[in-house]
């Protein structure tokens, strides 16, 4: 925004996360962020909750510009996707995408999967992301660990159900809708 003011150009800020949540102790950086929001000609946010937050913290207005599908994503054969990731072809797979830790409510997901497995032993949980167990405990849990971006479309295609959970934090509250 400083460069835009100096050169007579227009500026836009595209906010897809609540950046203040990354370093809550960095108050001087937050003030610079808020000042930039107030001076920008256009501010966009990934969802309505974040848009309201940006207006609350300095933006004169904010347009919601929802996240869209990755252009690399396209439907693939489920069996091929599973084989590529070393997952079983013959089970019903529920996958959790993203970091899997206490703050994100992992206990709720584990209990739900256990209840499903009691009714249907063909159900398995697939975990991917940071903090996800990088171990294999088939047939109950398949831990893939962190997957590179180019493998995410394979994972989504391999699953019967995909889950993303966000913690009830300053980051999580403004990350709706989560991208899948």
């Amino acid at each position: 925004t400083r460069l835009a003011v100096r050169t007579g150009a227009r500026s836009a800020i595209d906010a897809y996360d609540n950046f203040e949540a990354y370093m809550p102790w960095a108050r001087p950086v937050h003030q610079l962020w808020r000042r930039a929001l107030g001076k920008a000609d256009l501010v966009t946010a990934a969802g309505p909750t974040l848009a309201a937050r940006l207006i609350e913290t300095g933006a004169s207005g904010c347009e919601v510009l929802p996240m869209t599908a990755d252009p690399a994503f396209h439907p693939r054969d489920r069996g091929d996707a599973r084989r590529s990731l070393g997952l079983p072809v013959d089970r019903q797979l529920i996958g959790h995408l993203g970091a899997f830790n206490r703050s994100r409510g992992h206990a709720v997901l584990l209990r739900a999967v256990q209840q499903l497995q009691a009714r249907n032993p063909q159900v398995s949980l697939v975990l991917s992301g940071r903090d996800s167990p990088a171990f294999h405990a088939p047939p109950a849990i398949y831990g893939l660990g962190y997957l590179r971006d180019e493998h995410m479309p394979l994972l989504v295609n391999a699953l019967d159900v995909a889950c993303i959970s966000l913690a009830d934090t300053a980051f999580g509250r403004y990350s709706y809708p989560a991208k899948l």
Side-chain angles (χ1 to χ4, degrees):
T1 56
R2 282 184 188 166
L3 182 60
V5 168
R6 252 191 276 145
T7 62
R10 299 182 68 164
S11 65
I13 295 175
D14 178 31
Y16 53 87
D17 281 331
N18 178 17
F19 296 115
E20 291 183 27
Y22 290 121
M23 296 183 294
W25 47 267
R27 299 224 185 270
V29 175
H30 297 180
Q31 292 307 317
L32 291 171
W33 169 247
R34 291 175 179 196
R35 201 171 311 145
L37 288 171
K39 291 182 179 180
D41 295 295
L42 172 68
V43 177
T44 63
T49 309
L50 180 58
R53 171 74 178 161
L54 296 174
I55 291 169
E56 193 179 283
T57 59
S60 58
C62 188
E63 297 293 323
V64 174
L65 186 64
M67 292 188 184
T68 61
D70 185 331
F73 181 86
H74 59 278
R76 296 182 167 118
D77 179 77
R78 182 172 287 156
D80 289 345
R82 289 179 177 192
R83 281 186 284 279
S84 295
L85 294 169
L87 296 170
V89 178
D90 60 341
R91 298 187 66 81
Q92 293 174 337
L93 301 180
I94 298 172
H96 181 276
L97 290 75
F100 190 75
N101 57 45
R102 281 193 188 105
S103 67
R104 291 193 177 197
H106 75 286
V108 172
L109 179 61
L110 289 175
R111 279 195 310 272
V113 169
Q114 287 170 345
Q115 289 175 7
L116 286 169
Q117 288 171 334
R119 293 184 191 129
N120 181 351
Q122 290 300 309
V123 170
S124 291
L125 177 62
V126 177
L127 302 175
S128 71
R130 287 183 201 93
D131 302 325
S132 297
F135 62 86
H136 290 269
I141 297 176
Y142 294 87
L144 300 177
Y146 183 80
L147 293 178
R148 294 191 324 252
D149 290 347
E150 59 268 19
H151 290 140
M152 291 308 293
L154 272 177
L155 178 57
V156 172
N157 276 283
L159 300 173
D160 294 293
V161 176
C163 303
I164 297 176
S165 58
L166 294 171
D168 186 13
T169 63
F171 174 78
R173 284 189 292 277
Y174 299 102
S175 293
Y176 174 80
K179 56 186 169 183
L180 173 58

